[in-house]
Structure formats: structure tokens, C-alpha cells
Amino acid sequence: VEPTGNARARPHRIIAVGGGKGGIGKSLVSSNLGVALAARGQRVLLVDADLGGANLHTSLGVSQPTATLSDFLLRPKSRLEDVIVPTGVPNLSLIAGALDVLDAANIKYAHKQRLLRSLQTQSVDYLILDLGAGSSFNTLDFFIIADHGVLVLLPEPTSVENAYRFVKAAFFRRLQQVESEYGIERLVERALSTREGSNRTPMEIVQHVRQQSPALAAKLEKELAAFRVKLVLNQARTDGDVKVSAAVVSAWKKFFGLEMDDFGVIRYDDEAWRAVRKRRPIVLEKPESPAALGIQSIADRLLALDGVTSP
Amino acid sequence: MNHFEQQSYYELLEIPFSASQAQILGAYTQAMETYAPDSIAVYTLVDPGQLDALHQRLAQARDVLCTLEQRLEYDRLLGVTRTPEELASLRIEALKRSADTEAVPAEAEAQTPSPELSAVEAVELSEAEVVEDALVVEAAAPVVEAAAPVVEAAAPVVEADAPVVEEDPIIEVTPVEASEVVGVEAALVVVEESSPTNVPPVPVESAPPPSPEPLVAAEPAPSTPDASSPDSPPGAKPVIHARPSAPVRRHGAVVPPPLPPRQALRPTPARLESKPPRSGVRPGQQLGEAPVPPPAAPSLPAEPPLNPASMKGRDSRTRLKTIVDIAADTEFNGELLRQVREGLSLSPHSLADRTRISVRHVENIEADRYDSLPVSVYLRGMLMSIARELGLDPVQVSRSYMTLASSEDKKKR
């Protein structure tokens, strides 16, 4: 995706929060990260990109938003800016997910392109996309436009399984955007559609390209290295759980050959679900709770990475 | 393909170049935990074969990095430079460790590992078993030509306190002089980095053989030139040869020969080893060394302790240890696997028995009947078991065979 317009007419950074499995805390991470960044003086726009299961507004305590994404999708004339609603938190605004249309998850290609384009022209400091569960292209396509792809993981086999699946799918989907340049269409297609192919690693694809052109291979290698997912481990109950993120980072490197960043741990915390029940972000409700502190340090890390100094 | 095969030992263990022995062992323990078969971190990411391969390499990494001389040699290959201070502290550490080892009564049997070294030593112990195993089995193997020297060689190994000697080069150099165990020491001395000076004369005189073996590596792994020179007298077998003749030659030599049996015993690690240095250093070096064995000597020690360690997990009960000279980039097809099997005088049935793979599959694999083979995840496992049984490098065999099979597949479609 090409950056459009001048530097001002686009978000400073796009964060996409995904993870494959449902119920792992994607919305919790998105909303609280949004609040934490807003509290650090960043202008943040949260977008509920869970097209079939929107509920981000509820995490934020915004009851039945007056405008949603479907207003934008169904009325081709309206601008995305028109469906932005305030959240009550300074610096933080929201585009709520589609609530009224039941087939919103099956968004048409043209609609998706228009939405993606519009999202990329929002002039805020951070655009946070809260993705739905699963690894459908509609979900992946939001993930791969992001500067920071955040992968939420629980220390459970089910979550790990879906996370690997999700991140591999995202990787190959990303590759699909550049494949024609490298003559690897068939490899990528096989990777996405066959069991054998999905076991291909980036290194093998680079090697394949190298046979034709070492220069192209070097370029591709660079491009692939940019696919660097940020891992957030949620609901860690034990010290052993905490180690899972480092282990996943290590395994991803050893077996898939790509870097992943261990971006932080959110401790399992009863306060977290109490806050959800109250429909309040935990960083506001219980700022000193372990879960809230975990999110705060993730926000700090993100700003440090982007070279932003908070006022 | 596994990316970790391209990682250096340091990257593999995720430690800095300056890591101390304790850090290395700690990192190894940690990695074994992370990559335990039931580890959540690899759930659905890898198959058991990949995990096995990783375990083998982790053990290699630990073994090499925990033996000072080998580590320095490995560093050289990687192009790591060390400050004098760093070097000094590494040496002190190594000396301390030797002292510790010695503190445990040197005459103590292999069964009493020093507590601090338990991790390493445990492995050594099993290595020792494997070595004995290998030698003995080998003596029994059909290919053996010179029975007497082999038996002689086998016996001392059993007596010698192999683990200690091997792990502790510095201290144990001395016994080399004891002439009656020449054969054995030769095996152990390799580990001994300290003897590069001894090495040159011997292999030179045993000159590069006319290479009757079609399969002998043209661009052999570093150890190969030496491995083949003492081993392959003109009449050597084409594909496989046990290296029973080595001890014979050794008797003539005053100095321990460069190529110890152990070296030859493990073609696998030598090959694996040749990959990690990503810099082109190693290959270049090989080229230079191939015709003239002597300079190769210093690089040898990097390899030795590897294979037995990595093999220890596999049941060593009955497994034949084959010595096969096969180039690192040899592609295994069914035909080649068949030749190796026949070289071992194994019938398809007994191979099937040993690997618990059905005869039908064994035959289909050997006949390259790709259409009749099981899906790849099973096939890979089978190939790895067969390779282990045949004394080949499981990773190399499975990878090259699978590549072959899949490219054939494509042609048909």
C-alpha cells in the first residue's frame, strides 16, 4: 500500500491488534492502549474493525454510538470523518463497528478498499484497529496495513495455535501484495491454499527468488524482515506463563526465520474483568492494578520505539 | 527448512559472544525447556522431527562452546575476535573447570560425574557409551577388514575413562604418551586442540587417496579429507567403509594421527557444522585444506564431541553405526538409500523392523515411487528414522529426499 498524500494527511502510525482467536483480549488491549496513548498526549482514533462482532464501544463505555462504520460503508457518499464519535476521554475518539447490518462481516472488496484508503488518510497520531477473530482476508488486510501489527496471545495451546496460523496467514497475505515483482505467485498461492505450502518459510521463498536474481532476493529479504510482529501476552497467571512470550519469539525465529518483538505482558487480573463489567477501560478504572500497569508499559515501549517523547 | 540451521551457536543459544560457561549451560537448559516436546511455544509450529533436529544442534552448540579450544576455533571461523582480557577470563574459567573435574578423583569411574558439571558430563557419559557401542558394533560389522586391530582398539576404549579424557583436553593430554592405548587415545586426542603440531606429518604420508569412492566428498566437510585418508586405502569400498584400518596405521605412527576414529564416526555433525558460519570462511578454508590435510587439524576439534551427544537420545541399543562418506550436499534418492542399506547387509525387512516402518513403505521409498508414499509429514518422519538407522544425517536425508519427491510431483501436475 502506497502512502498517499503529504505527511500530514495520514496517521502518524497505524496499530492493528489481532490474534486469530476470539476472547483473548484484543478489544481490551486496543481500548486500553488507546486510552494510555491518549493520556500521553497523542491524538488517537480507535477503529472497531471487527466487522461482524463489534463491541469496542462497550469496552469504552460508549453506549450505542450515534454513527457506526456501516453508515460509512452503506452510504458511499459519506466521509469516514462523519462517523467518528467522541469517547469522553480527551484525545481519544472512536469509530464504532457496524452494529445494525448482520452481513457487515462479509464486506465487499470495493468497500474494503475504500475503507482502508479512508483509514489511511486520517490525520491523527495513532490509528488503532481492533480486529476480529479469525484469519479471513478481511481481517488480515487490516493487519498488514499497520505499522505495528500487535499479536495478542494467551498462554494456552488454543491461542498459540491460532496465533501462529494468523501470523503466517498475514505474512503470506502481505507477500501477495509484492509477489508479482518477484515471480513468486505460485509459491505464495500454494502457501495460502495448501497444507504443504503453508510450511514454507520466508527463507525458502528468498532462496527460490535467488535462483533467478540475487539482487531481487536481497530486496525481498529486506522486505520480509520488515514483517515484524509485536507480541503481547495477555492473562499471564504464573511466571512460567510470562516466559511464553520469549519462547514464542525464539521459536518464531528458529523455525520461521523472522523476528518478532516481545512487547509486554499483561498479568491475569480480576480487576480487568471487573472493569469490563463496568464498561470502563482498566487503565482508567484501576490504574494501579497489574493489568493496567502492563498496558502502560506497552504504551511507553511503543512511544519509545516510534521516537515520540510524551509531554 | 529450519531457519535455526543457519544460526550460529551463539545465536542458537541466544547468548553473547562473551558468554561464560555458566551462561552457556544456563542458556542450554533454558532452551531445552523452551523446546521441550510439550512446550506450548512450538505447538502447531513444528513437527517432532524438526524439534529433534533442533535438540541435536543445541547439544552441539553447548558441547563446542563449553570446550575452550573448540570454542576458540569456532570463534575463528565466525570471525569473532576477543580482547586479551576476555581470552584470559575464558582460559581461567576453563582451567577452573579442569581443576574441578580433576578434583573428582580422576580414577573414579565414569559413573561419578562432578556435581557442577552434571549437565555436560551426563552427556559425556552417554557419549562414551555411544563410542564404545560404535566401536564394538563396528568390529562386528560385516565390512570390517582388519579384525585384529579393531578389537584391540575397542578394548582400551572400554577401560579408558573416556568422558573425562575427552571433556578435559588439557589435563588428559598426558596419557597420549602411554603407548599401549594408542588407538583409543587417537580417538580422544582429536578433541585435544593442543596437538596441531603433531598432526601434519602423518596424514601427509598417507596422501590423498586416489578416491576410488564415487561418493567421497569432492568438497568434503573439514573432517573428511582426514577421515578418508587413513580410512580408504586403495581397495576401499565404494560407498561405505567402516574405518577399521585406522588403528593399524596408527601403530606405525609415533604421534597420534590426526584423524581419530571418533571423527569418522560422525559424519553428521561435521556436515551440520559446516553450515553455521555464515561468512564464507569455512568453505574457503576447506578448499584450501582439502589437498593438504595438516592445516585442517586445528579445525577438527570443533567437531568431535558432537555426534555422540546428539545420538544419545536415540536408542543406541542395536543401531548400527555406519561410516558413510557422503558429501554435504548429496541428494538422497531411494536408490542411494538402498545402496547404503545393502552396504550394511540389511534386508528391507530388517530395516523395516528396526524402524517400525512397514516394508511396503521402505520399498516404495527406495524405489522412488513418490505417488505411493504417505503424506509429507509422515514421510519426513520415516526418512529420518531410516537415516538414523543407516547412520546418515536425518535432516539431510529427509530434506533432500522430500525436495526430490516434491519436484517430481510438480512435474507431473
Side-chain angles (χ1 to χ4, degrees):
Chain A
V1 178
E2 297 298 323
T4 50
N6 58 39
R8 237 183 238 168
R10 61 188 293 267
H12 182 234
R13 288 286 192 283
I14 302 179
I15 301 169
V17 181
K21 189 176 174 300
I24 56 176
K26 292 182 296 295
S27 295
L28 177 125
V29 170
S30 306
S31 55
N32 283 284
L33 191 58
V35 173
L37 289 172
R40 283 161 176 75
Q42 304 296 308
R43 288 168 305 139
V44 181
L45 174 58
L46 269 169
V47 179
D48 195 340
D50 187 349
L51 298 174
N55 59 12
L56 189 61
H57 55 282
T58 304
S59 323
L60 288 162
V62 175
S63 51
Q64 296 309 302
T66 49
T68 71
L69 210 47
S70 57
D71 295 319
F72 171 76
L73 292 174
L74 294 181
R75 276 187 278 146
K77 293 247 163 75
S78 69
R79 301 180 313 144
L80 193 59
E81 288 78 357
D82 297 337
V83 295
I84 296 177
V85 298
T87 61
V89 178
N91 284 333
L92 181 66
S93 45
L94 169 74
I95 296 180
L99 295 171
D100 38 6
V101 186
L102 290 179
D103 74 343
N106 312 314
I107 179 176
K108 289 196 179 62
Y109 179 80
H111 286 175
K112 181 172 66 185
Q113 290 307 316
R114 183 167 152 257
L115 176 56
L116 286 170
R117 268 199 315 273
S118 303
L119 286 172
Q120 287 172 305
T121 54
Q122 296 303 305
S123 57
V124 289
D125 294 324
Y126 280 98
L127 180 73
I128 302 181
L129 307 174
D130 179 27
L131 307 186
S135 309
S136 71
F137 287 166
N138 276 346
T139 306
L140 298 176
D141 287 347
F142 288 104
F143 191 78
I144 61 181
I145 62 162
D147 301 288
H148 301 301
V150 173
L151 185 72
V152 181
L153 182 77
L154 301 190
E156 297 167 3
T158 41
S159 171
V160 170
E161 177 171 16
N162 288 4
Y164 279 135
R165 195 179 169 75
F166 177 83
V167 70
K168 276 188 186 180
F171 171 79
F172 285 112
R173 183 68 173 165
R174 171 84 186 80
L175 212 51
Q176 226 175 15
Q177 297 183 327
V178 297
E179 63 187 12
S180 55
E181 195 179 337
Y182 300 101
I184 48 175
E185 293 91 337
R186 274 188 51 211
L187 276 181
V188 176
E189 193 223 329
R190 276 176 64 105
L192 284 166
S193 61
T194 67
R195 199 192 151 95
E196 259 298 277
S198 66
N199 288 331
R200 292 233 178 244
T201 63
M203 190 170 67
E204 287 170 283
I205 292 170
V206 170
Q207 268 172 4
H208 180 88
V209 173
R210 187 166 292 133
Q211 288 167 3
Q212 283 119 47
S213 156
L216 265 188
K219 185 167 170 240
L220 177 63
E221 214 165 4
K222 223 170 159 187
E223 201 143 3
L224 300 188
F227 186 85
R228 192 170 172 134
V229 166
K230 287 154 187 77
L231 186 67
V232 168
L233 188 77
N234 190 20
Q235 294 186 12
R237 286 175 168 82
T238 64
D239 290 346
D241 286 351
V242 171
K243 284 187 193 161
V244 168
S245 45
V248 166
V249 169
S250 168
W252 183 246
K253 171 78 182 173
K254 282 194 171 40
F255 290 100
F256 203 69
L258 291 183
E259 302 289 340
M260 201 185 258
D261 293 312
D262 183 353
F263 224 59
V265 174
I266 301 173
R267 284 282 184 169
Y268 181 85
D269 191 343
D270 279 351
E271 294 296 350
W273 66 257
R274 276 197 203 100
V276 170
R277 289 213 169 174
K278 283 189 164 177
R279 289 182 278 155
R280 290 262 292 165
I282 187 168
V283 290
L284 293 178
E285 180 69 14
K286 290 279 176 192
E288 296 308 313
S289 65
L293 293 176
I295 287 164
Q296 300 286 8
S297 63
I298 290 169
D300 287 334
R301 200 161 299 151
L302 200 64
L303 290 179
L305 189 72
D306 289 340
V308 179
T309 45
S310 46
Chain B
M1 184 181 306
N2 297 316
H3 185 265
F4 67 80
E5 285 158 22
Q6 307 210 326
Q7 290 185 306
S8 76
Y9 289 156
Y10 293 98
E11 291 170 320
L12 195 71
L13 289 170
E14 299 172 27
I15 49 175
F17 290 132
S18 60
S20 70
Q21 178 111 30
Q23 279 175 305
I24 295 167
L25 291 176
Y28 175 78
T29 311
Q30 167 91 51
M32 290 307 277
E33 217 173 279
T34 299
Y35 295 101
D38 61 347
S39 163
I40 195 177
V42 290
Y43 184 64
T44 67
L45 184 64
V46 301
D47 59 45
Q50 288 176 286
L51 218 47
D52 275 0
L54 176 62
H55 290 164
Q56 293 189 11
R57 241 180 104 68
L58 285 167
Q60 275 175 32
R62 178 208 52 194
D63 289 347
V64 168
L65 298 187
C66 280
T67 310
L68 182 64
E69 302 301 335
Q70 293 184 30
R71 181 175 177 180
L72 294 180
E73 175 57 24
Y74 185 73
D75 287 350
R76 203 176 58 74
L77 295 171
L78 283 185
V80 176
T81 49
R82 297 194 177 282
T83 63
E85 296 81 41
E86 227 175 40
L87 226 84
S89 80
L90 285 178
R91 287 199 194 284
I92 289 169
E93 193 179 70
L95 280 175
K96 254 192 215 148
R97 215 166 55 80
S98 321
D100 286 352
T101 320
E102 206 172 26
V104 175
E107 68 276 11
E109 297 314 321
Q111 273 68 22
T112 56
S114 121
E116 304 95 302
L117 296 172
S118 50
V120 173
E121 282 201 331
V123 174
E124 285 163 34
L125 288 181
S126 38
E127 271 178 36
E129 282 161 28
V130 176
V131 174
E132 290 167 17
D133 227 26
L135 286 175
V136 173
V137 170
E138 197 188 306
V143 266
V144 168
E145 285 155 282
V150 172
V151 171
E152 190 196 332
V157 170
V158 181
E159 293 158 13
D161 197 350
V164 178
V165 172
E166 194 203 322
E167 183 44 20
D168 224 303
I170 300 166
I171 296 182
E172 309 294 339
V173 185
T174 36
V176 175
E177 260 55 67
S179 55
E180 28 111 51
V181 276
V182 169
V184 180
E185 271 142 27
L188 303 167
V189 165
V190 206
V191 179
E192 213 66 76
E193 227 278 26
S194 51
S195 54
T197 43
N198 300 341
V199 180
V202 183
V204 169
E205 143 238 280
S206 69
S211 190
E213 307 101 308
L215 286 171
V216 165
E219 44 80 65
S223 61
T224 316
D226 310 79
S228 50
S229 40
D231 286 349
S232 38
K237 310 236 158 9
V239 179
I240 305 167
H241 56 86
R243 14 129 299 282
S245 50
V248 183
R249 211 169 275 269
R250 227 154 259 145
H251 279 298
V254 186
V255 228
L259 194 266
R262 299 204 55 201
Q263 196 66 32
L265 277 175
R266 35 190 120 74
T268 309
R271 211 167 289 123
L272 284 178
E273 244 275 288
S274 65
K275 284 175 201 160
R278 293 146 311 163
S279 55
V281 180
R282 180 59 81 90
Q285 194 185 37
Q286 282 171 23
L287 286 180
E289 285 167 9
V292 191
S299 74
L300 287 181
E303 269 94 46
L306 311 186
N307 203 12
S310 50
M311 295 253 189
K312 82 176 156 141
R314 331 234 139 276
D315 50 347
S316 50
R317 317 167 309 230
T318 56
R319 194 151 281 157
L320 287 175
K321 299 289 186 292
T322 321
I323 292 80
V324 184
D325 283 332
I326 289 191
D329 57 353
T330 300
E331 297 206 334
F332 285 89
N333 58 13
E335 173 62 16
L336 183 51
L337 291 174
R338 186 185 61 78
Q339 286 174 8
V340 174
R341 172 180 58 74
E342 289 177 349
L344 288 165
S345 310
L346 273 178
S347 70
H349 280 90
S350 51
L351 180 60
D353 271 359
R354 286 160 171 274
T355 53
R356 302 195 171 76
I357 295 171
S358 88
V359 187
R360 188 170 53 87
H361 285 318
V362 170
E363 288 171 347
N364 283 337
I365 287 173
E366 290 189 351
D368 292 315
R369 283 191 285 267
Y370 304 128
D371 291 338
S372 320
L373 295 176
V375 296
S376 63
V377 32
Y378 294 114
L379 177 58
R380 184 177 295 118
M382 290 177 185
L383 289 165
M384 293 184 91
S385 321
I386 290 176
R388 277 181 210 119
E389 206 53 56
L390 298 179
L392 302 169
D393 174 359
V395 176
Q396 186 195 359
V397 170
S398 63
R399 185 195 303 147
S400 60
Y401 192 99
M402 306 272 305
T403 312
L404 222 59
S406 68
S407 63
E408 281 300 309
D409 249 16
K410 260 178 235 151
K411 274 182 220 155
K412 272 176 205 144
R413 273 171 207 166

